[in-house]
Amino acid sequence: MASAQEPPASAAGDERELVERVRGGDTEAFGELVRRYERRAHAIAWRLLGVREDAEDLVQDAFIAALDKLDSFDERRPFGPWFFRILVNRGTSRIRSRRVRAGEPLPESLGDPAVLPDRAVEQQELAGRVHAALAELSDRQRL
């Protein structure tokens, strides 16, 4: 009787055949591996990252990495745990890189980051001209 961690012998043999076909260039065989594992991969990636779009990117990245590393896959073992280890390792790396990139928020005194420095100077000059022109107006005109 197969354990919960290990696929039944027929499924394992079927996976071995799919892996061999992928190694031979069969893209449909790789598509079948993706279909078998993508739902669970999305669930794991979402739990790791917490953002749907990031999870989708991670799953795609993990499948591409698995395809690139398929020559190092030991076909005597099940494909799923090997693939999920790639997924989790890449997800952990992304979490680590998020922490490195996270920093102190910029002070509001720096101004709008969307405004380019030359545009900021132009806006300051224009504001100065507007204030000067307003100063020349009578109180009634200014209102």
Side-chain angles (χ1 to χ4, degrees), residues 28-63:
E28 288 188 28
F30 185 68
E32 178 59 30
L33 286 173
V34 169
R35 279 187 290 283
R36 288 183 183 190
Y37 292 103
E38 72 180 328
R39 176 180 240 147
R40 186 167 173 209
H42 278 281
I44 292 169
W46 187 85
R47 278 186 295 237
L48 276 171
L49 301 178
V51 177
R52 186 178 60 92
E53 292 82 7
D54 291 347
E56 289 171 358
D57 289 345
L58 175 59
V59 170
Q60 184 176 18
D61 181 49
F63 276 117

Side-chain angles (χ1 to χ4, degrees), residues 33-134:
L33 286 173
V34 169
R35 279 187 290 283
R36 288 183 183 190
Y37 292 103
E38 72 180 328
R39 176 180 240 147
R40 186 167 173 209
H42 278 281
I44 292 169
W46 187 85
R47 278 186 295 237
L48 276 171
L49 301 178
V51 177
R52 186 178 60 92
E53 292 82 7
D54 291 347
E56 289 171 358
D57 289 345
L58 175 59
V59 170
Q60 184 176 18
D61 181 49
F63 276 117
I64 291 169
L67 182 59
D68 288 342
K69 297 177 180 187
L70 201 58
D71 288 336
S72 69
F73 172 66
D74 180 358
E75 63 272 347
R76 294 173 296 180
R77 299 198 173 274
F79 178 83
W82 177 79
F83 168 72
F84 292 126
R85 177 54 35 209
I86 291 170
L87 177 81
V88 169
N89 287 346
R90 288 182 172 264
T92 303
S93 293
R94 287 189 185 193
I95 291 168
R96 225 177 289 125
S97 71
R98 275 185 188 171
R99 287 185 193 137
V100 169
R101 281 186 274 155
E104 295 290 319
L106 294 174
E108 289 186 33
S109 62
L110 289 179
D112 186 357
V115 177
L116 298 173
D118 59 334
R119 296 285 292 160
V121 170
E122 287 175 9
Q123 288 176 349
Q124 287 174 345
E125 289 175 1
L126 180 59
R129 283 194 218 144
V130 168
H131 288 296
L134 286 173

Side-chain angles (χ1 to χ4, degrees), residues 5-25:
Q5 294 291 330
E6 206 172 291
S10 62
D14 184 40
E15 267 187 3
R16 277 189 214 112
E17 179 187 327
L18 285 172
V19 168
E20 285 306 313
R21 286 175 44 202
V22 172
R23 285 178 174 163

